[in-house]
């Protein structure tokens, strides 16, 4: 591999590249490294993205460290090359090499979206500061929350529509009585015919959460019998135990996080925190002595969460402190 190509590789991979992209990229490198045609293709994509010349920075040592740290490639064949149309400025260097590896990047109304297309399906990835709306092959609509991943086949063949989720998504499933729709996560499997529900299962959390908006769903958790939910019901399964929680809720507190503007009208403080958890992808730990009966009216747009909490603290006697991805709410 030439020094110029190494510079491109190092520049690309030192961005915040998702693990899935790293794996696709490493797969391409393992298969094509040293090939003159592949290097020409890499340079062509770089120049086509109008990223300017590759500077002769001292990348040699960092490149070797980079290649050692990247995840090993899967045994699947590298996908075919794809061309990139429009790129966010912060993703442009990533996109130049991603095109060679068969990764497609794009911008949606809700932020940056990333598509990975291995041979047997499609990965959709949202970043830590982006959400996205997607339509599956059967017409089912999916809204992905921050930092989420969805895998689905390019077509739903056979007698089952099956997808896999890590993160949070709101599903509006097209009804097909002959072909159930199934969502798999690491803690819970959900099966429906046609319905609307919110499912949350991040790997860093110790629980998975299912809230039904309309229709009916059947959920199966490890070591438990299947549970059927009705609208406005919530099921929580815990990662380190066989315990599950089942309760009645207002589903509207769980299914509005995808809207650009969200109005909370005369809402109890506990419900406000539920909405904020899903809108900002955070976890609240609320002390027992915090009064949650207060009712608030808020209009949420794109404000930082700290501004919202500061505004709440002006009218409700609370303090907040963030630590390790959790926001602790205490009485003031």
């Amino acid at each position: 591999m030439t020094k110029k190509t190494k510079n491109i590789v190092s520049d690309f991979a030192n961005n915040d590249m998702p693990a899935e992209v790293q794996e696709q990229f490493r797969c391409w490198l393992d298969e094509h490294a040293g090939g003159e045609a592949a290097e020409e293709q890499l340079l062509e994509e770089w120049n086509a993205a109008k990223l300017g010349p590759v500077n002769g920075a001292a990348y040699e040592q960092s490149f070797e460290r980079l290649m050692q740290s990247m995840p090993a490639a899967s045994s699947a064949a590298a996908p075919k090359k794809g061309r990139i149309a429009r790129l966010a400025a912060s993703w442009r260097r990533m996109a130049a090499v991603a095109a060679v590896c068969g990764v497609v990047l794009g911008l949606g109304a809700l932020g940056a979206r990333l598509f990975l297309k291995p041979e047997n399906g499609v990965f959709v990835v949202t970043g830590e500061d982006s959400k996205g709306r997607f339509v599956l092959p059967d017409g089912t609509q999916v809204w992905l929350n921050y930092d989420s991943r969805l895998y689905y086949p390019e077509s739903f063949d056979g007698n089952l529509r099956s997808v896999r989720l890590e993160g949070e998504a709101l599903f509006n499933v097209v009804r097909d009585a002959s072909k159930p729709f199934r969502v798999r996560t690491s803690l819970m499997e959900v099966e429906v015919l046609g319905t609307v529900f919110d499912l949350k299962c991040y790997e860093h959390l110790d629980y998975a959460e299912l809230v039904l908006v309309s229709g009916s769903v059947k959920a199966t958790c490890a070591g438990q019998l299947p549970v059927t939910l009705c609208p406005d019901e919530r099921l929580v399964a815990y990662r380190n135990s066989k315990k599950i929680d089942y309760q009645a809720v207002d589903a509207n507190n769980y299914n509005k996080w995808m809207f650009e503007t969200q109005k909370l009208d005369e809402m109890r403080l506990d419900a406000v925190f539920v909405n904020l958890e899903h809108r900002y992808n955070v976890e609240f730990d609320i002390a027992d002595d915090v009064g949650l009966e207060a009712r608030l009216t808020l209009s949420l747009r794109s404000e930082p969460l700290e501004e919202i909490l500061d505004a709440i603290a002006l009218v409700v006697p609370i303090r907040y402190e963030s630590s390790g991805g959790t926001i602790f709410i205490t009485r003031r």
Side-chain angles (χ1 to χ4, degrees), residues 54-305:
V54 181
N55 297 321
Y59 281 129
E60 289 294 327
Q61 293 182 355
S62 63
F63 175 82
E64 297 301 329
R65 289 195 300 269
L66 169 69
M67 299 311 296
Q68 292 293 326
S69 64
M70 286 178 66
S74 66
S75 59
K80 296 181 179 179
K81 170 185 171 184
R83 179 67 71 167
I84 297 167
R86 298 180 58 197
L87 308 172
S90 62
W91 289 47
R92 292 175 70 203
R93 290 185 179 272
M94 183 183 295
V97 181
V100 179
C101 306
V103 178
V104 181
L105 294 169
L107 288 178
L110 296 176
R113 305 174 300 176
L114 184 148
F115 300 81
L116 302 175
K117 299 193 73 176
E119 287 193 347
N120 60 345
V122 179
F123 272 106
V124 181
V125 181
T126 54
E128 293 183 355
D129 57 354
S130 64
K131 304 175 184 179
R133 174 184 173 274
F134 309 94
V135 179
L136 303 188
D138 65 337
T140 290
Q141 298 182 70
V142 182
W143 288 263
L144 276 185
N145 208 340
Y146 296 124
D147 195 21
S148 297
R149 293 160 174 78
L150 180 72
Y151 169 81
Y152 60 91
E154 291 191 352
S155 63
F156 290 122
D157 300 323
N159 57 4
L160 182 68
R161 296 171 289 168
S162 183
V163 304
R164 189 167 68 247
L165 172 69
E166 178 187 335
E168 181 174 12
L170 181 76
F171 292 86
N172 187 350
V173 179
V174 171
R175 183 173 181 82
D176 185 345
S178 66
K179 187 177 292 188
F181 187 93
R182 181 178 295 167
V183 185
R184 296 173 179 172
T185 73
S186 60
L187 290 180
M188 186 185 299
E189 188 172 285
V190 178
E191 186 170 308
V192 306
L193 295 178
T195 186
V196 179
F197 63 94
D198 187 271
L199 181 58
K200 177 178 178 180
C201 185
Y202 287 96
E203 293 303 309
H204 67 276
L205 298 180
D206 65 352
Y207 69 91
E209 174 188 74
L210 170 65
V211 176
L212 182 60
V213 179
S214 65
S216 66
V217 301
K218 181 177 70 175
T220 304
C221 309
Q224 301 286 337
L225 294 174
V227 176
T228 300
L229 269 65
C230 296
D232 290 317
E233 290 184 336
R234 173 178 180 258
L235 178 68
V236 179
Y238 294 91
R239 193 174 298 279
N240 297 320
S241 72
K242 294 183 178 180
K243 177 185 176 183
I244 61 173
D245 286 335
Y246 181 77
Q247 63 184 132
V249 296
D250 183 352
N252 287 323
N253 292 327
Y254 298 81
N255 68 351
K256 299 294 190 292
W257 49 262
M258 77 289 296
F259 295 125
E260 186 174 350
T261 300
Q262 184 179 1
K263 181 70 176 294
L264 309 182
D265 191 18
E266 287 294 310
M267 184 173 289
R268 277 177 53 106
L269 185 57
D270 50 357
V272 169
F273 284 132
V274 170
N275 277 272
L276 294 178
E277 276 190 334
H278 289 262
R279 185 173 183 85
Y280 289 93
N281 190 24
V282 297
E283 295 293 311
F284 286 105
D285 187 310
I286 304 173
D288 292 338
D289 61 348
V290 173
L292 298 174
E293 300 81 10
R295 292 186 176 272
L296 302 175
T297 296
L298 298 171
S299 183
L300 307 177
R301 295 182 179 85
S302 57
E303 303 88 351
L305 178 58

